[in-house]
Amino acid sequence: MKTKFDQTYMTDILELLLRTPSPTGYTHHIMQKVQQEVGKLGYELTYTNKGCGIVTIPGTSQDRVIGISSHVDTLGAMVRSIKDNGTLKITSLGGFMMGAIENEYVQIHTRDEQAYDGTILTSRPSVHVYEDAREFKRDEANMEVRIDELVTSKKEVQALGIRVGDYISFDPRVQIKPNGFVKSRHLDDKASVASIFGLLKWIKEAAVKPRFTIKLFFSNYEEVGHGSAFIPEDITDFIAVDMGALGDDLSGSERDVSICAKDSSGPYDYQMTSKMIELAEKLEIGYAVDIYPRYGSDASAALRGGRDIRAALIGPGVHASHSMERTHMDAVVNTAALLAAYIMEPVEA
Ligand SMILES: [Zn+2]
């Protein structure tokens, strides 16, 4: 099963995605790259008004339409204000601990397409100077961006073209190890996007026709909860492909595809989830079934958006999510393998 997938291609796509800044709300550049890569495989990507990308692959039957979503948006920040000392106050995009971004290198993206480098620090960043540097609370109000330019005043920062509302992306620090581990920020959810590209390449090269028509949905506002509040009207079955949470009493690993039975938004569809488990067992795909206590997906967004769909959630296991993440290419391949099996043998009406 796994040999069908071009792991080198998936790794290359993953690296390309990881190195493209895409904080939620600032996804037009990455969506263009997704469109280009989809085009290279001979498919067409169309946009929704909100900027989500859709790729349609006709199936043997049109009786059902299976939506498969992944999200290209990531955590990030925005300039909240420019301080008198020439640093920037930030506001978060998405949910993370301030400790997870402290000392990170960033880029500030101005609205006239300039990019400036900087570093996120607390406003008391040196133990040689501030007695309470260690205990100083890591919250938004106490963090700032030190810009790598000759600026010591608000006026000088403004002269660079930096404004309130400019996007800030975190250095992903991508490392792809020869043993298959991938360390990087934003594996949530770019690891899933890479698995979907692996699936798409397999569909193309093996010339397979899925049982039902498929719509790949590249979502761009997942991290703020409304990525798939809209999905194409004809979708009847929806698979959100998003990272598997790991740790505590969860059983998944960085090499497995996680199948989520229930998250904060409630249980996923019984038949679809059971079918995923059955296929993983049958094909000996490394998998785990888990309950995520603090998690909502694009499938939850679609259901909350009022859609009459059944929905499932699967994805590659990602350790230390929304922090310094790590996964393994086995999990990316296992996710593609389970999707491939499902589109050929889905739950029927
Ligand atoms: Zn995600």
Side-chain angles (χ1 to χ4, degrees):
M1 193 73 194
K2 290 177 199 171
T3 51
K4 292 183 206 176
F5 298 98
D6 185 342
Q7 191 171 320
T8 306
Y9 170 77
M10 289 158 86
T11 307
D12 291 348
I13 287 278
L14 179 55
E15 183 167 9
L16 171 81
L17 295 166
L18 291 169
R19 293 191 188 282
T20 306
S22 59
T24 192
Y26 187 81
T27 51
H28 46 291
H29 293 301
I30 198 165
M31 206 58 98
Q32 275 169 8
K33 291 192 181 176
V34 168
Q35 187 175 30
Q36 278 168 12
E37 295 302 321
V38 162
K40 284 182 199 168
L41 294 175
Y43 295 95
E44 194 193 349
L45 181 137
T46 56
Y47 288 103
T48 66
N49 293 323
K50 193 162 82 175
C52 298
I54 298 169
V55 178
T56 302
I57 303 149
T60 311
S61 161
Q62 320 288 321
D63 290 349
R64 303 195 75 82
V65 174
I66 300 178
I68 300 178
S69 80
S70 57
H71 66 92
V72 298
D73 62 311
T74 69
L75 305 176
M78 198 181 246
V79 178
R80 176 186 167 129
S81 57
I82 304 168
K83 293 168 76 168
D84 291 337
N85 65 358
T87 64
L88 305 173
K89 278 183 82 171
I90 61 168
T91 181
S92 304
L93 296 171
F96 50 85
M97 310 172 282
M98 285 299 141
I101 60 160
E102 184 180 357
N103 303 325
E104 188 54 278
Y105 292 162
V106 299
Q107 280 201 312
I108 305 136
H109 305 271
T110 67
R111 289 187 190 257
D112 60 354
E113 298 291 327
Q114 301 292 311
Y116 293 101
D117 292 340
T119 306
I120 294 178
L121 301 162
T122 76
S123 50
R124 298 180 194 172
S126 170
V127 291
H128 299 112
V129 181
Y130 303 96
E131 199 184 343
D132 64 346
R134 290 181 181 83
E135 295 77 31
F136 193 48
K137 191 163 167 42
R138 271 60 178 167
D139 63 16
E140 231 172 57
N142 291 339
M143 310 303 282
E144 62 188 26
V145 176
R146 178 186 66 195
I147 309 167
D148 297 333
E149 296 289 333
L150 295 170
V151 286
T152 51
S153 72
K154 186 172 181 171
K155 223 173 165 181
E156 287 168 340
V157 174
Q158 286 169 330
L160 294 175
I162 294 173
R163 299 282 182 268
V164 169
D166 286 350
Y167 280 88
I168 296 169
S169 62
F170 308 144
D171 186 340
R173 295 203 252 167
V174 185
Q175 287 192 21
I176 295 167
K177 303 291 187 188
N179 64 6
F181 278 113
V182 182
K183 297 203 293 187
S184 178
R185 290 187 186 275
H186 313 318
L187 289 167
D188 171 12
D189 190 30
K190 292 175 175 178
S192 302
V193 181
S195 71
I196 285 171
F197 269 100
L199 175 77
L200 193 59
K201 188 162 190 273
W202 167 70
I203 292 172
K204 184 70 182 178
E205 288 178 352
V208 293
K209 197 154 196 185
R211 172 79 182 87
F212 296 120
T213 293
I214 294 172
K215 294 206 170 177
L216 302 179
F217 190 80
F218 297 98
S219 153
N220 62 343
Y221 281 100
E222 193 279 342
E223 293 293 358
V224 285
H226 64 81
S228 302
F230 167 84
I231 52 172
E233 296 299 328
D234 52 357
I235 288 176
T236 55
D237 303 56
F238 193 73
I239 306 166
V241 187
D242 209 338
M243 51 138 274
L246 308 179
D248 196 18
D249 63 344
L250 302 176
S251 60
S253 83
E254 289 157 281
R255 300 181 65 191
D256 293 327
V257 52
S258 284
I259 301 170
C260 179
K262 172 184 179 283
D263 66 16
S264 312
S265 65
Y268 285 89
D269 180 76
Y270 185 81
Q271 273 82 16
M272 287 179 79
T273 304
S274 304
K275 175 61 89 173
M276 294 286 185
I277 296 166
E278 177 198 317
L279 290 169
E281 280 287 333
K282 189 168 87 178
L283 300 167
E284 298 181 346
I285 297 167
Y287 81 102
V289 182
D290 268 322
I291 313 290
Y292 306 154
R294 281 172 254 282
Y295 195 109
S297 73
D298 259 342
S300 328
L303 289 164
R304 289 218 170 93
R307 297 304 313 279
D308 177 25
I309 49 166
R310 53 186 178 195
L313 169 62
I314 68 166
V318 170
H319 187 253
S321 49
H322 285 197
S323 182
M324 297 311 297
E325 299 175 349
R326 191 181 74 169
T327 191
H328 192 281
M329 283 309 294
D330 283 357
V332 181
V333 172
N334 283 330
T335 301
L338 186 53
L339 287 169
Y342 190 88
I343 62 168
M344 301 312 289
E345 197 186 316
V347 174
E348 304 274 336

